[in-house]
Amino acid sequence: MEVRKLLICDLLEGRNKNFIVPVYQRDYAWKTSNCKKLWEDILSLEESDHTHFLGTLVTIYIQGDK
């Protein structure tokens, strides 16, 4: 496992990416309004000098044609 600091824009940018919520976390369901608020907060950080610790995100990179 490799741990590193990454800007959220670096994680999100690019093509051919799928973000999937694991089954064990689906009980923590968000409503559309919660997702919209999070996205607005992320976008507002881009326009400011502030930083925000989002927390730990576990990701997996799968190489290949999918």
Side-chain angles (χ1 to χ4, degrees), residues 4-65:
R4 60 190 165 121
K5 181 179 177 180
L6 184 67
L7 296 174
I8 191 73
C9 59
D10 293 336
L11 175 69
L12 296 176
E13 77 179 357
R15 296 173 19 152
N16 300 322
K17 291 184 178 181
N18 293 307
F19 295 93
I20 301 167
V21 178
V23 173
Y24 63 87
Q25 289 192 357
R26 291 183 185 163
D27 289 338
Y28 303 104
W30 284 24
K31 296 180 178 165
T32 302
S33 61
N34 301 118
C35 296
K36 184 178 178 182
K37 176 65 174 145
L38 173 62
W39 188 246
E40 289 170 355
D41 290 346
I42 290 170
L43 292 177
S44 70
L45 287 173
E46 184 178 42
E47 299 169 0
S48 73
D49 293 333
H50 296 90
T51 59
H52 177 75
F53 178 69
L54 186 59
T56 302
L57 298 175
V58 179
T59 62
I60 184 169
Y61 174 73
I62 299 174
Q63 189 173 359
D65 299 328

